[in-house]
Amino acid sequence: GVLVSEVISGSISEASGIKAGDIITKINSKEIGNVQEFEEVLDALKTGSSAKVSLFRDEKFEEVNLILKR
């Protein structure tokens, strides 16, 4: 997974509920093992679409929807 070190105030990540300290493990069911895979998956998403983000927080897995702004 990829550790979220910081979430910028007012960002789509913050609006989606992603927090600093979260570990992103999947985006749209695609396993994320490192920053390169994370960037590749995000780059492939279209503006205005949404993505299901699986993350590990507080000893449990959670899912949030990330909506990419236009």
Side-chain angles (χ1 to χ4, degrees), residues 4 6-19 66-69:
V4 177
E6 179 182 15
V7 176
I8 298 170
S9 181
S11 68
I12 58 172
S13 297
E14 181 186 52
S16 298
I18 295 172
K19 299 178 180 178
L66 182 68
I67 306 211
L68 303 174
K69 292 191 177 186

Side-chain angles (χ1 to χ4, degrees), residues 19-56:
K19 299 178 180 178
D22 288 349
I23 299 171
I24 296 175
T25 58
K26 294 181 187 176
I27 299 176
N28 289 340
S29 302
K30 175 153 178 29
E31 296 279 341
I32 303 297
N34 56 48
V35 173
Q36 182 179 347
E37 289 176 353
F38 174 79
E39 290 175 350
E40 287 171 1
V41 171
L42 279 187
D43 288 345
L45 295 173
K46 294 187 175 15
T47 301
S49 66
S50 65
K52 189 184 308 180
V53 178
S54 299
L55 50 87
F56 188 73

